[in-house]
Amino acid sequence: MENETTAMPRIGDKAPAFKAVTTQGTINFPEQFAGDWVILFSHPADFTPVCTSEFMTFAMMEEKFAAANCKLVGLSIDGLYSHIAWLRTIKEKIEYNGMKDVEVKFPLIEDITMEVANKYGMIQPGESSTKAVRAVFFIDGKSTIRAIIYYPLSLGRNFDELYRALIAMQTANAFSVATPADWNPGDDVIVPTAGSCGSAKERMESKEEMKCYDWFFCTKKLTKETIMEKILKK
Ligand code: BEZ
């Protein structure tokens, strides 16, 4: 409808629901993913080089994300047969950056009508009105959007960063901590800021293994093993 606007979902919102046809059959989103984290991501078009490099990289990392209870779901404004042909080409013909014979096993949504892309604010007309930008939505097991990243068409994503962000958010949940700049598992984590003058004093005098740079900025050790033991699927 002309002039119809859709509010873009934001961090903390419930993931907008949709039913869609994918390369792995029909999906009911986010309902059928409840209990797991899911990364819903868009790419501009099939049979394009940056997208091909991204899909190969993401497919190679799928098991690593699955081990952290996270499923992957892709989307572009292309039809199902284009998706199938492109994924077959990737598997049969493309050898790139040491990767070959790569099978994309996660669902890729066909969204010719742009219904899902519009719901999620993946069409950003200043960049393109016919192609989705490179959007990434991190959605937790309760179907709440926890992080959103947007990249322009020309910029391939860093999938190690997506994994780092996932593990950091899961660590924050599991251990009630926050993670500082450039954090990676094994680095010190941030203890929640003192909420009162009493707790600030207590914290500065605490014998707990904390390092305080000032009353509002304290860190503690949290080993990679402790994190992974709690987060990774047994
Ligand atoms: C690509 O994936 O290579 C691409 C797609 C759309 C615009 C520019 C690059």
Side-chain angles (χ1 to χ4, degrees), residues 106-118:
F106 54 80
L108 175 50
I109 296 168
E110 78 154 359
D111 196 28
I112 290 281
T113 60
M114 302 192 194
E115 186 191 328
V116 180
N118 279 324

Side-chain angles (χ1 to χ4, degrees), residues 136-178:
V136 184
F137 288 83
F138 294 81
I139 298 162
D140 70 16
K142 292 182 180 152
S143 305
T144 299
I145 296 173
R146 299 291 299 275
I148 305 172
I149 304 175
Y150 288 107
Y151 275 43
L153 304 189
S154 63
L155 179 56
R157 286 161 279 210
N158 182 321
F159 292 88
D160 288 331
E161 167 57 10
L162 302 190
Y163 184 75
R164 188 194 76 91
L166 174 75
I167 298 298
M169 285 184 277
Q170 293 185 346
T171 299
N173 275 7
F175 297 94
S176 302
V177 295

